[in-house]
Amino acid sequence: MRLGVLTSGGDAPGMNAAIRAAVRCESARNLEMVGIHRGFNGVIEGEFRALDNRAVGGIIERGGTILRSARSAAFLTPAGREKALRQIKDHELDGIIVIGGNGSLRGARWLEEQGVPTVGMPASIDNDIPRTAMSIGVDTALNTVVDALNRLRDTAVAHERAFVIEVMGRKSGYIALMGGLAGGAEVILLPETSMTLDAVVAQVCKGVLKGKRHSIIVVAEGFVPSDMESADPSAGRVLTDALERDGTVETRLTILGHLQRGGSPTAFDRVLACRFAQAAISWLADGEHGVYTGLQNEDVIPVPFEGVEDTCTNVDLDLLHLANIVAH
Ligand code: F6P
């Protein structure tokens, strides 16, 4: 049996650990592994290279992905898709493992529907993939956010300032919520919640007037105040400007951006990557496909690809309530 593996979409820390584990679990079952470079673009262009146990040595601790990644526009076109199927046939692949986020798992689903046995592994710092409590990369990104909040609190306290910290998450507030809760943020703003700009300013000022001399405000990039159509140029900038206009507290903005996607994966992400890879390989080898790996109640379970179409942010609004209680 000859299986291909690719990483696609936004990279997530732990993708390398997943590739390594997939190759080695496969080799333990005497299967052959082929690395596909640059995501679905590489399928279309036939960028297939054999992978063995030695080729994946020394990567468990590395962020990014040795296979490279891409958001493939070509794979969304009929011509690109037709070429991709031809390449898979010409290279005699018996199955494909797709490591990536929502869009990537949709691509995986399409391959499965065309008769290519496919299994997905959720990897996205947004944690917005349905029916899995965690995706590869989330824990590392959260720890990066918490580390940044610790550092920014030092300077916020020293200068008695408010800091607005914009984190990733266009549609999902998971990083903002969990990072904000773990980092002790005074205010957390998510795409899933709605608040006017004035209400946000009032909430920050309330803390200041109660004697809080500094504030940490964590905002997801996808937050839009309910009285605005969009937050231009960014959610963080809009809030910072509003707080500066109000004048109650001096305010600075930090946009964490792609810092959150890099770095060495945490132990949690490495273990999750190994467990997802082991499940993916054994399912494919045993003829089970059309599914992705999901973490539910500590178990790795197969989730049918159809589920990936559901909207999910894994955001528990009770935790937002808790964050508001413990921050004051
Ligand atoms: O999907 C992961 C993610 O990091 C989002 O949180 C973010 O909005 C997006 O990718 C950024 O994508 P890009 O790297 O293509 O700018």
Side-chain angles (χ1 to χ4, degrees):
M1 204 176 193
R2 197 170 135 83
L3 302 179
V5 58
L6 63 86
T7 49
S8 158
D11 58 311
M15 280 181 160
N16 278 327
I19 297 165
R20 169 184 173 273
V23 170
R24 292 188 176 169
C25 289
E26 178 143 321
S27 137
R29 295 184 74 130
N30 290 324
L31 308 173
E32 199 187 328
M33 185 64 114
V34 174
I36 305 171
H37 289 238
R38 298 172 46 248
F40 288 102
N41 282 341
V43 182
I44 296 169
E45 301 306 328
E47 293 189 52
F48 299 0
R49 283 170 222 155
L51 278 177
D52 62 18
N53 285 7
R54 298 287 66 79
V56 292
I59 64 168
I60 192 169
E61 73 279 24
R62 281 167 54 189
T65 158
I66 59 161
L67 293 177
R68 310 285 181 257
S69 192
R71 299 192 192 276
S72 175
F75 192 69
L76 298 175
T77 65
R81 290 191 158 186
E82 195 189 311
K83 211 170 155 198
L85 288 178
R86 211 173 324 122
Q87 294 282 15
I88 291 167
K89 199 158 173 259
D90 290 352
H91 286 83
E92 298 175 337
L93 291 187
D94 301 304
I96 294 195
I97 294 174
V98 173
I99 306 172
N102 270 321
S104 310
L105 296 181
R106 286 201 182 94
R109 179 187 181 181
W110 183 83
L111 284 179
E112 174 73 26
E113 285 166 357
Q114 308 314 304
V116 180
T118 307
V119 170
M121 275 193 235
S124 163
I125 67 164
D126 291 345
N127 210 24
D128 58 351
I129 295 163
R131 299 192 184 86
T132 182
M134 287 297 267
S135 295
I136 296 167
V138 176
D139 187 64
T140 307
L142 276 179
N143 280 288
T144 302
V145 169
V146 170
D147 183 52
L149 295 191
N150 292 344
R151 289 162 193 267
L152 291 167
R153 189 179 292 283
D154 288 346
T155 175
V157 172
H159 283 267
E160 302 187 339
R161 283 173 173 160
F163 265 85
V164 173
I165 296 115
E166 185 184 298
V167 299
M168 277 188 164
R170 270 190 293 239
K171 293 193 181 138
S172 162
Y174 190 87
I175 300 176
L177 174 57
M178 303 307 251
L181 177 58
E186 277 73 24
V187 180
I188 301 173
L189 301 161
L190 318 172
E192 294 86 350
T193 55
S194 130
M195 228 173 157
T196 64
L197 194 55
D198 284 351
V200 176
V201 172
Q203 193 176 334
V204 176
C205 294
K206 200 166 107 196
V208 177
L209 299 173
K210 272 162 91 184
K212 275 214 162 231
R213 298 196 175 276
H214 70 274
S215 302
I216 298 289
I217 301 135
V218 175
V219 58
E221 63 179 322
F223 173 78
V224 180
S226 54
D227 50 346
M228 296 178 77
E229 296 259 300
S230 61
D232 288 328
S234 81
R237 185 78 260 164
V238 166
L239 294 183
T240 307
D241 289 350
L243 285 162
E244 283 285 272
R245 271 196 308 275
D246 172 82
T248 306
V249 60
E250 196 183 358
T251 308
R252 294 288 186 272
L253 167 66
T254 300
I255 298 178
L256 293 185
H258 289 78
L259 265 181
Q260 295 157 95
R261 289 234 298 257
S264 182
T266 57
F268 181 92
D269 276 328
R270 298 180 197 195
V271 171
L272 186 67
C274 290
R275 293 184 69 200
F276 276 2
Q278 182 187 38
I281 295 295
S282 75
W283 295 339
L284 269 169
D286 296 344
E288 183 175 2
H289 42 84
V291 294
Y292 61 90
T293 54
L295 184 71
Q296 283 182 18
N297 304 322
E298 304 302 319
D299 295 323
V300 176
I301 49 111
V303 181
F305 275 141
E306 292 70 41
V308 83
E309 300 300 336
D310 298 345
T311 331
C312 162
T313 64
N314 276 319
V315 160
D316 177 353
L317 290 177
D318 287 345
L319 291 182
L320 182 59
H321 182 60
L322 174 62
N324 285 332
I325 294 171
V326 296
H328 294 284

